[in-house]
Amino acid sequence: MDPRTVHEACEAVMPACLPYAVYRPWARLEHFRLLRTSVRRGGPLLVHDCGSRAWMRRRLAREAGRQGRELHLVLLDVGAATALDGQRARGRHTSARVFARHRRGLGRLLAEFTRYARSGGPVPIPEAASVLLLDTVSRSRAEAVRFGGAN
């Protein structure tokens, strides 16, 4: 699930003169409603998120846990230039302010992992059953995401 899909669906039914900032709260609520519905439906679910929203991870983990399922997190740390190139290649545009906020959030999360790896402190994302961190090289070699056993 990608919030951009909901953004585009909302954009399609809104007057062209209406800026996204005006209907963004409605689009976000719709995205969260669809997330909840999808998680409750069961089965594998891949959620695209900037990684900086701890409340979102907790919520997804709680919903999955109610069904006896687990949250597995895949983090992409490919650098700002590569991320922006990917955005452009997919026809997306993110404002500099929003991109900077997402980078700060991911930076905090990665710093927590670094502290955890060095000192053995608290697990940075206790709600995740597993975490996979991909950099540019490992991302280019990843061929698939598989969930669970033979379903």
Side-chain angles (χ1 to χ4, degrees):
M1 292 203 57
D2 189 339
R4 180 68 182 183
T5 305
V6 175
H7 172 148
E8 290 171 354
C10 292
E11 186 176 56
V13 298
M14 295 293 168
C17 64
L18 195 63
Y20 178 60
V22 172
Y23 61 90
R24 179 178 31 234
W26 179 69
R28 287 188 177 163
L29 283 172
E30 180 65 5
H31 175 65
F32 298 142
R33 186 190 67 76
L34 289 170
L35 264 176
R36 190 176 87 206
T37 300
S38 296
V39 169
R40 289 180 176 177
R41 191 176 304 134
L45 179 65
L46 183 62
V47 178
H48 180 261
D49 186 69
C50 66
S52 63
R53 297 180 183 122
W55 66 268
M56 171 80 82
R57 290 189 304 271
R58 286 190 299 271
R59 178 98 187 230
L60 288 170
R62 188 171 44 251
E63 290 288 336
R66 288 180 181 146
Q67 298 174 18
R69 296 167 45 210
E70 298 174 320
L71 175 72
H72 299 274
L73 188 63
V74 179
L75 294 172
L76 299 178
D77 182 21
V78 295
T82 300
L84 286 171
D85 287 346
Q87 291 282 320
R88 281 189 288 275
R90 292 188 308 277
R92 292 178 154 194
H93 170 74
T94 303
S95 73
R97 181 182 59 81
V98 170
F99 188 75
R101 187 176 69 234
H102 289 183
R103 284 190 64 202
R104 283 191 306 273
L106 182 57
R108 283 190 300 271
L109 186 55
L110 292 173
E112 289 177 36
F113 274 109
T114 300
R115 280 191 296 278
Y116 170 72
R118 289 184 179 157
S119 69
V123 177
I125 306 175
E127 60 272 11
S130 69
V131 178
L132 174 62
L133 176 60
L134 300 174
D135 61 9
T136 304
V137 173
S138 57
R139 182 195 152 276
S140 69
R141 294 179 182 163
E143 295 179 10
V145 176
R146 292 185 183 88
F147 296 91
N151 293 353

